[in-house]
Amino acid sequence: MFQDAPVPVMSLCDLCLSRVCWSLEQLCDSRADGSLRLRRAPSLPTETADQLLHKMTVEGLLNDRTVAIFRDGKAFRLRRAFIRGGPVSPGAFRLALCPHRLQELDASRLAEGHASGAEVLAALLTNPELTSSLQMLSLAGLHSLRALRTLNLADTGLTDAALEEVCSLPLLESLDLSRGAVTSLAPLLGCRATLRSLTAHGLHGLRRLPVVMPAAPGVPSVLIRLSQLRHLDLSDDRFAADDVPWAPDEEGLILPALVSLDVSGRKAVTERVVRAFVKARPSLVFLGLLATGGSACEVLTSRENLKVTGDANETQVCEALRRYKERECFLHEALVLLYNLTVDLSTPRQDLLQLVLAGMRSHPSSLQVQLVASACVFSLTTQDLAEAMAPRLLAAAVDQLLLSMQSFPSHAQVQKNCILALCSDYILLEISFNRYLATKLVMTWLSSHDDPTLQKMAVAIISVLVAKLSTEETTQLGTDVSIIRQLLGVVQQRASLGVVDNTLRFALSALWNLTDGSPAAGRHFVQCQGLELYVEVLESYCSEPSVQQKVLGLLNNLAEVEELQGDLMEEDLLDYVLSVLGDPRVGVEVRYFAGGFLAQLSSRPKAWTLRQELLETIHQQLVGVPAEKEMVSYRCFTPFLPLLRTSQPAGVQLWAAWALHLVCSHNAPHYSPMLQQEGVVLLLEALALHPGTHADVQALARLTLHLVGARQQAQMTPPGPPHKECSLGPSGD
């Protein structure tokens, strides 16, 4: 039943509300106090107004300035107000929400330093109509509100005296006093005639442990006298083994109206007790048995409509993940069980991933939750499982992994889990997420760890991500000298061992992309003695085309930066690259970049500082470079412009014209607009018409212009990938 669970899709209403939330600045004017007021405010239905407030809260957009739009009582009539966790001050709350005749208000866990529970209550009491209409209130703190039927006082430090006051409410039907400071449940007798639901999770201060079924005849229990109870939660987060032993209630005489009972975490609950309890209650719809040892009882599987949390099977574990996402201890327990169930998973399970992500969102600062949850994300998305999942779901998973990495930068296992999950070609290439942040986080991890296996994964992730960044993001990364230094360290480490492995290749690719169109990254590379290291790598790996290609590709990037050309004017280096260019045994994919490097350096005769004979030899050698396939993708053609001038030597022009024809012949729809917009077409036309142009250059220029013209005549829509502006270089590994 879980394998086919659909991925939730945002409704049109949700999309519209989200758009309004994120457009408030454009839709509103500012009052004198800085708060917002809608310019044109149609009268919205009550339900829509409630949904808008809820959406602003969950999107993190609710604050004193934005909540002020609800001061307009004609446009907005709130009934169910949800501001849980919102940073709203007492004054803003009073002005915006208290004029409404609210029926429900969830103001629990308001941001620290803003409105407290007591201040919220004080503000509510300023409107007599509101106090008479309010039926459900969830917050930290309480004053007697006579119409209250539902009250959530979890995590408020509720005392015995406060519980006495609460239990005097004449219409109270549902009460949550979880993790309170009460020492006795005796005050509950004051509302035994109306109380239908009681949540008493984690009451560690009770002088007497609550029991539903007495351990022996005559043992008193307040709970037994709450005869109207239908829902009872007595779960405990201590998982204590010294709990009061429960005797079986085989006739269902105790709390006969009960349809829901949660005793998760109470180790004294045995299968015998469970069996008797369930058999005596045919109307039972929920039983919480996580971490009790009683969830494997055979009677539980015979009830089709009975929901159970426990550890006996996947269904029980999933129910625990759904029910306990707000309870850290139980969520952690359920996640551990889920991880054990999914270690060898071979079928995509979107439903399980959704449950894991919900738990991660609920407890972003919990180490124990994030640790196990990140391991679950990895097991649910490993290998080919991710490709069968909805991209939006995977994007949400990556967002949570990055948040975990940010929250626990020093925890090795959390970082390891996240890196393992991120190391997926499909996720890195096809899923939308903050690749810049991911690159920074993985680089931070790499700088402080040297585990060979994880180092390989981290460098691979960085290599793929850098190739997908925008020019601005790549440039920003390149300004961080520590990133360049760290990657050079990886290259040096692998090169010193004389190995040719993926770690070396990925590090070379990452540096190639980081220096692409980034003069700052190029400067850092030279300052960190990267040039000397790369010369050694060129000579040491002369028979490794994949290494040579990446090294020469980076040298191309450096050669495009005028201020760095002086550092490259090393005769030994140019002699070596020239020998590569002229060696027919060397693959075209290497000779291509050797030619590009030499073309850039030899295109500015006034900046040439070496022997003139070497310059002439380079120009002669550039004339004979062949190519048949596309070996690199260009983000823009700005570096080509000086090479295509009619004043350039024929060899320089030929290499540039050849490279342009090469990429256009493989992907004219993508590159033709770039050639037009960046002025390359004008330069090609000038070369084609100039009487002094080398015949081979003219031929290539005309062929390229023909490709561009054919594309324009066909009026094709641009199907190619988006290109990066003002940078020329590799597309990745």
Side-chain angles (χ1 to χ4, degrees), residues 90-91 93-95 98 117-127 130-131:
F93 173 84
R94 179 176 54 80
L95 291 172
C98 291
E119 289 169 328
V120 168
L121 284 166
L124 293 174
L125 293 172
T126 62
N127 183 357
L130 173 56
T131 58

Side-chain angles (χ1 to χ4, degrees), residues 352-362 377 393 396-398 400:
L352 299 183
L353 183 57
Q354 290 170 16
L355 292 173
V356 172
L357 297 182
M360 295 179 79
R361 293 188 196 99
S362 295
V377 172
L393 180 62
V398 175
Q400 289 301 315

